[in-house]
Amino acid sequence: MVKLPGYAGKILYIDISKKKHKVVDVKESFARKYLGGIGFATRILYDLLKEKVDAFDARNPIIISPGLLTGFGVPTFSKVVFASKSPLTGGFSRSVAGGRIGPALKYAGYDTVVIQGRCRKPIYIFIDDDRVEFRKAEDLWGLSTRETEERLKEEIGDKTVATAVIGPAGENLSLISCIDCEERQAGRTGLGAIMGAKKIKAIAVRGSKDLIPYDPDKLLEMLPKIYKECVTHPAYEWDVNWGTAEFIDWMNRERGTFPVKNFQEGFFKDAYAKLKEGEKMPLDPYYWVPKYSVRNRACPSCVKPCGKVFKSRDLIVEGPEYETLYSLGGACGVDDIETVAKAHLLCDLYGLDGISAGVTIGWAMECYEKGLLTKEDTDGIELKFGNGEAMLKAIEAIAYRKGKLGKLLADGVRKAARKLGKGSSRFAIHVKGLELPAYDVRGIKGMALAVAVSTRGACHLTACIYGTELVGKWWKFENIDRLSAENKGYEVKVHEDLMALYDALGLCKFSRHIFFAEKLPEIVNAITGFNVDTAYLMTVGERIYNIQRAFNIKQGFTRKDDTLPYRIMHDPIPEGPSKGSYVKPSELRKMLDEYYMARGWSKEGVPTKVKLVTLDLEDIAEEIGAGI
Amino acid sequence: MPRPKLKINPAKCTGCEMCVSVCTMVHEKVVNPKRSRIRIVKEKNFDFKIIVCMQCEDPACVKACPVNAIYIHEKLNIPIVDSEKCTGCGKCVEACPFKAIWIDPVTKKAIKCDLCMGDPQCVKYCSAEAITYG
């Protein structure tokens, strides 16, 4: 068989129970239909788990799938998807990282790797081109992510191998643990615990094969243009100089949608109240970058690096960034930047999702302040908002399931609130079990719909709609009113399809202002020779998204799961530019109806047969029992 | 005349490895970091090492080559590998003080930075200006 242009050409299936692997060719029809990245991962996961299984069941795979363009060195196309059934949400899990392991897998000859089974003793998997080794990892068990990466590279004797590892949190099956790819994380939905349950401490990859584009001359002709567009775009200066949190002050003072103290406030009132005339808020990169940032760090083939390396005394970490400035800052009422950076570092070293950890601790702080948790429950920690030391101790407790507090919080806010009871679920800020990201969706109603329906739970990246909503226009959308619940269905649907496409291609969502959808066909065609257009690519995005929905339906999800936290639907934002705004249950119902209609799904949120057949997914229509 | 060479400033490197992929695209029309004439290594504390030929005045690779496959290019005034002569024995790799010459895993011949014959392409994609020329 002639290798498919633009593809490494193989899918690697690993069964760690039997310590065996097999290699399957990527068929052209499959490649055209799903492109790569999340497309491959979604279809493979759907086909492997046709019945409802526990996330820690040996059959539940961890799938690693670099985007179609990942590895080709096209600026900002570098992402790698991790997929599985999430132990945190019980549904479809996608977590995307800018790790070197994505490109490395391609150079080793694989478009996707699927790992099933489980081991009794810790191992790490070393994929070295055609060779797949299962190596003992008992001596790595317990180490931090950073130490694990260093030890792996030492043991293999090659600092250029790419790694994906878990920390103590994943080993201890924390449902909010992540996978660390050389200090870039596949953070969300608890995938560290999937590796932990399989007793896979790490995966190391080395590749030395050619990745061959269909039309190299065309690619070489396009590269300088794409590079120029990236570095001359107005967002370049923001990304490079200030990182992802450039707009944090605007989110607080202009929009009032920066969640503070577990969504009790929509801007960081205490932090701003302390400032003297002309001073910057301490979480604002305009304050901390000049003081602490020593260099920028990029994902593979990114020419507009947004990672800010933070150094203070013996602490060095890539971060904090916008999300952790919220979760380990605002959400816990902490405005000391050194503490936030320390918390970010601890989450990275322990292998915890910084968003979920911070939101869970914020919830616990509210419980403590309300008297629902006492010092006895917190192992003596004074768990009040603004107590940075307490937050740091809580992070450690979570990673090691230490003490009463660790046991309560290690599985995220939904489980913690269920265990504690006492009405605390009313301010547990999650959807489908996944904690909310850094946007107070009470004042961003299109985004509220997006987090309600996202297949992986509350997530800012499934639709990536916050910019459109907060600015009021983007791409083909204009006159968007963030405070209105009207006409959000189509808007969310199109954003989701586009972002599924981005994850199929491996494109960074921070580059959406540069590429939109229209610039993608030329690049895809140069790499693959598929000769496809924008509409075709958007349909692939839609197809992928529908399969994720079908997967969730098979795992037991219904319309009832497309909901919002109680607080978002009942407690208005108390102060600031979005004062009084919240999403009424009737508004959510209306938005859901509209969204399902825009998607061509039933009122119950089940894809219709008509829609699935149109997407060339007739088999799935039958399997989920889609009517009409 | 001193030899021309890439100027490197590792403190500015972001670790994106654009230089690596562009290098192989330009030279081989494929992407494969193990065939690149420039390499990036992530060290502790987010330091990145940039490994590329320093175009030595008195090149150890030239001396080490048993078949005289590495010669000083008349126009460019830098050591260049004559891949027809090269046997892939690896003596140059052993000799290089910067570890900046490699054996290509596909052709099995030595590869090193040739400054893209005077117009180094990696420089054009280094937005961080960690690699400059001229």
Side-chain angles (χ1 to χ4, degrees):
Chain A
M1 188 176 134
V2 182
K3 206 171 83 174
L4 208 52
Y7 286 84
K10 310 270 186 203
I11 296 174
L12 174 63
Y13 287 87
I14 297 175
D15 180 345
I16 55 163
S17 302
K18 295 183 183 139
K19 305 246 186 332
K20 282 194 169 153
H21 72 276
K22 66 172 180 180
V23 171
V24 175
D25 287 332
V26 175
K27 288 196 186 113
E28 185 177 343
S29 55
F30 185 79
R32 281 181 177 269
K33 201 164 166 181
Y34 302 107
L35 295 174
I38 192 68
F40 283 14
T42 300
R43 183 69 217 204
I44 291 168
L45 182 67
Y46 178 89
D47 287 339
L48 286 176
L49 295 187
K50 295 224 165 165
E51 62 219 79
K52 195 170 173 177
V53 298
D54 188 86
F56 291 143
D57 189 293
R59 284 170 292 175
N60 186 23
I62 179 92
I63 301 174
I64 314 174
S65 191
L68 167 56
L69 272 90
T70 298
F72 280 99
V74 181
T76 80
F77 286 81
S78 64
K79 300 287 183 178
V80 55
V81 168
F82 290 76
S84 187
K85 171 174 166 154
S86 165
L88 181 65
T89 70
F92 181 83
S93 157
R94 164 203 101 240
S95 201
V96 181
R100 291 176 65 251
I101 195 165
L105 279 171
K106 292 283 192 78
Y107 307 137
Y110 309 107
D111 294 298
T112 299
V113 178
V114 182
I115 304 167
Q116 286 180 289
R118 70 192 304 167
C119 290
R120 293 218 328 275
K121 288 183 178 165
I123 60 154
Y124 77 88
I125 303 171
F126 180 32
I127 301 169
D128 191 11
D129 283 333
D130 297 334
R131 212 153 47 97
V132 178
E133 281 183 43
F134 305 92
R135 295 186 174 185
K136 283 184 183 168
E138 275 138 320
D139 57 333
L140 300 176
W141 207 251
L143 296 184
S144 75
T145 54
R146 196 178 270 179
E147 289 166 326
T148 307
E149 177 194 329
E150 281 167 12
R151 286 273 295 274
L152 279 174
K153 290 178 178 182
E154 231 165 72
E155 193 177 311
I156 293 168
D158 183 351
K159 282 181 179 171
T160 67
V161 292
T163 59
V165 312
I166 59 167
E171 295 169 9
N172 295 321
L173 307 185
S174 161
L175 300 191
I176 54 172
S177 55
C178 72
I179 298 171
D180 183 285
C181 307
E182 295 164 87
E183 307 198 44
R184 279 276 176 163
Q185 292 76 21
R188 307 232 64 198
T189 67
L191 294 182
I194 297 286
M195 280 177 64
K198 293 185 182 307
K199 290 274 193 297
I200 304 171
K201 177 67 176 172
I203 300 155
V205 182
R206 180 166 62 186
S208 66
K209 296 184 186 181
D210 290 349
L211 195 53
I212 309 168
Y214 170 79
D215 188 346
D217 294 323
K218 176 76 181 165
L219 184 61
L220 278 168
E221 180 198 311
M222 287 164 60
L223 279 176
K225 283 191 249 168
I226 297 171
Y227 175 79
K228 198 177 165 201
E229 282 192 83
C230 288
V231 299
T232 56
H233 192 278
Y236 176 81
E237 298 290 330
W238 300 338
D239 291 354
V240 172
N241 293 340
W242 310 108
T244 58
E246 193 278 336
F247 69 136
I248 197 169
D249 184 63
W250 183 80
M251 281 296 285
N252 275 274
R253 296 207 293 186
E254 301 291 325
R255 289 293 177 267
T257 48
F258 182 75
V260 174
K261 296 185 182 172
N262 196 36
F263 283 68
Q264 292 187 88
E265 295 169 11
F267 76 99
F268 209 158
K269 198 174 153 186
D270 293 356
Y272 279 98
K274 286 185 211 162
L275 304 182
K276 292 189 196 107
E277 182 73 29
E279 279 181 348
K280 301 278 180 203
M281 202 261 285
L283 301 185
D284 187 341
Y286 285 85
Y287 168 79
W288 58 262
V289 163
K291 235 175 139 175
Y292 296 104
S293 178
V294 289
R295 69 192 301 156
N296 283 351
R297 201 238 174 149
C299 289
S301 71
C302 180
V303 298
K304 50 188 196 76
C306 66
K308 309 299 293 182
V309 176
F310 188 107
K311 192 169 189 299
S312 144
R313 293 184 286 269
D314 58 340
L315 175 159
I316 187 159
V317 61
E318 186 193 341
E321 53 94 34
Y322 180 66
E323 288 297 331
T324 49
L325 288 163
Y326 139 76
S327 58
L328 303 165
C332 292
V334 174
D335 69 349
D336 177 61
I337 190 63
E338 290 196 28
T339 306
V340 176
K342 179 84 187 283
H344 184 118
L345 173 65
L346 289 183
C347 285
D348 285 0
L349 295 180
Y350 296 145
L352 272 174
D353 173 355
I355 299 178
S356 290
V359 174
T360 304
I361 295 167
W363 167 86
M365 286 175 163
E366 187 170 341
C367 290
Y368 188 85
E369 292 203 344
K370 286 193 154 92
L372 307 179
L373 284 176
T374 64
K375 260 196 183 164
E376 201 184 303
D377 304 310
T378 63
D379 310 304
I381 300 170
E382 180 84 354
L383 206 58
K384 281 188 172 169
F385 284 117
N387 186 347
E389 283 306 310
M391 176 176 74
L392 297 176
K393 282 182 191 159
I395 292 170
E396 192 192 338
I398 290 174
Y400 291 97
R401 284 188 187 275
K402 211 169 73 179
K404 281 188 183 170
L405 188 67
K407 287 185 184 77
L408 179 67
L409 304 183
D411 294 323
V413 78
R414 177 168 67 178
K415 280 212 166 175
R418 278 182 188 163
K419 273 187 219 163
L420 180 67
K422 302 179 187 174
S424 63
S425 285
R426 290 198 164 183
F427 52 90
I429 308 297
H430 70 88
V431 176
K432 299 182 176 76
L434 185 68
E435 292 76 8
L436 258 75
Y439 302 84
D440 195 328
V441 297
R442 287 176 293 189
I444 319 170
K445 292 191 181 175
M447 187 174 180
L449 174 62
V451 303
V453 298
S454 161
T455 48
R456 75 167 181 179
C459 161
H460 57 300
L461 296 169
T462 304
C464 221
I465 201 172
Y466 52 88
T468 311
E469 286 273 311
L470 287 161
V471 175
K473 59 177 182 184
W474 180 66
W475 190 28
K476 48 173 101 173
F477 298 95
E478 41 190 49
N479 300 318
I480 302 294
D481 178 1
R482 68 185 172 92
L483 299 175
S484 159
E486 300 287 324
N487 300 321
K488 300 298 184 186
Y490 175 74
E491 186 193 339
V492 170
K493 184 248 180 216
V494 173
H495 279 75
E496 285 170 343
D497 292 347
L498 181 63
M499 289 305 117
L501 173 63
Y502 272 43
D503 285 339
L505 302 181
L507 178 51
C508 175
K509 290 165 187 176
F510 247 56
S511 290
R512 63 193 187 281
H513 316 290
I514 298 170
F515 294 96
F516 304 97
E518 288 76 7
K519 287 186 186 151
L520 300 175
E522 194 187 10
I523 305 171
V524 171
N525 292 335
I527 297 289
T528 63
F530 282 168
N531 194 22
V532 293
D533 59 15
T534 308
Y536 180 93
L537 293 178
M538 287 298 289
T539 303
V540 175
E542 185 179 12
R543 180 178 297 128
I544 294 165
Y545 204 75
N546 273 267
I547 303 172
Q548 292 175 11
R549 184 77 184 186
F551 177 87
N552 276 357
I553 289 166
K554 296 199 89 174
Q555 298 300 320
F557 284 66
T558 67
R559 175 176 172 133
K560 280 196 193 109
D561 297 291
D562 292 342
T563 188
L564 290 166
Y566 182 91
R567 174 161 285 164
I568 302 299
M569 295 196 288
H570 295 87
D571 304 341
I573 295 180
E575 274 186 80
S578 295
K579 185 179 173 177
S581 188
Y582 69 109
V583 184
K584 297 182 191 78
S586 60
E587 286 181 317
L588 176 62
R589 279 197 296 277
K590 191 175 168 296
M591 287 197 291
L592 284 179
D593 288 343
E594 219 186 63
Y595 169 77
Y596 296 154
M597 194 189 285
R599 276 242 166 259
W601 296 350
S602 74
K603 276 216 155 193
E604 293 310 307
V606 179
T608 57
K609 192 170 180 181
V610 178
K611 174 51 73 181
L612 291 172
V613 169
T614 313
L615 294 171
D616 195 12
L617 298 171
E618 197 169 354
D619 54 331
I620 291 181
E622 277 169 29
E623 284 164 8
I624 63 165
I628 318 174
Chain B
M1 268 251 298
R3 304 191 196 288
K5 63 176 179 181
L6 295 177
K7 288 195 187 74
I8 57 169
N9 184 351
K12 286 186 170 179
C13 178
T14 68
C16 76
E17 302 186 46
M18 265 305 286
C19 52
V20 174
S21 53
V22 166
C23 179
T24 63
M25 265 309 286
V26 168
H27 285 91
E28 316 291 348
K29 297 199 173 180
V30 301
V31 185
N32 182 346
K34 299 286 179 206
R35 304 181 71 184
S36 179
R37 282 103 171 132
I38 182 165
R39 315 247 171 135
I40 305 296
V41 178
K42 177 176 176 267
E43 299 283 354
K44 280 186 186 180
N45 298 330
F46 303 96
D47 278 335
F48 295 97
K49 208 195 265 176
I50 304 172
I51 307 173
V52 68
C53 176
M54 289 290 105
Q55 319 292 2
C56 305
E57 290 303 318
D58 186 16
C61 57
V62 174
K63 279 192 209 153
C65 182
V67 295
N68 297 322
I70 311 177
Y71 65 99
I72 302 299
H73 191 278
E74 209 176 310
K75 260 193 183 160
L76 291 170
N77 188 31
I78 59 168
I80 293 285
V81 180
D82 179 341
S83 52
E84 290 197 354
K85 276 193 192 167
C86 175
T87 61
C89 71
K91 294 278 182 210
C92 54
V93 177
E94 284 169 33
C96 176
F98 300 102
K99 301 281 166 229
I101 186 163
W102 299 270
I103 301 298
D104 181 318
V106 175
T107 64
K108 314 288 182 200
K109 309 275 186 180
I111 48 171
K112 67 173 283 300
C113 175
D114 59 3
L115 297 172
C116 297
M117 303 320 273
D119 182 20
Q121 295 299 302
C122 54
V123 172
K124 297 182 177 170
Y125 293 88
C126 186
S127 61
E129 295 173 353
I131 319 164
T132 50
Y133 182 67

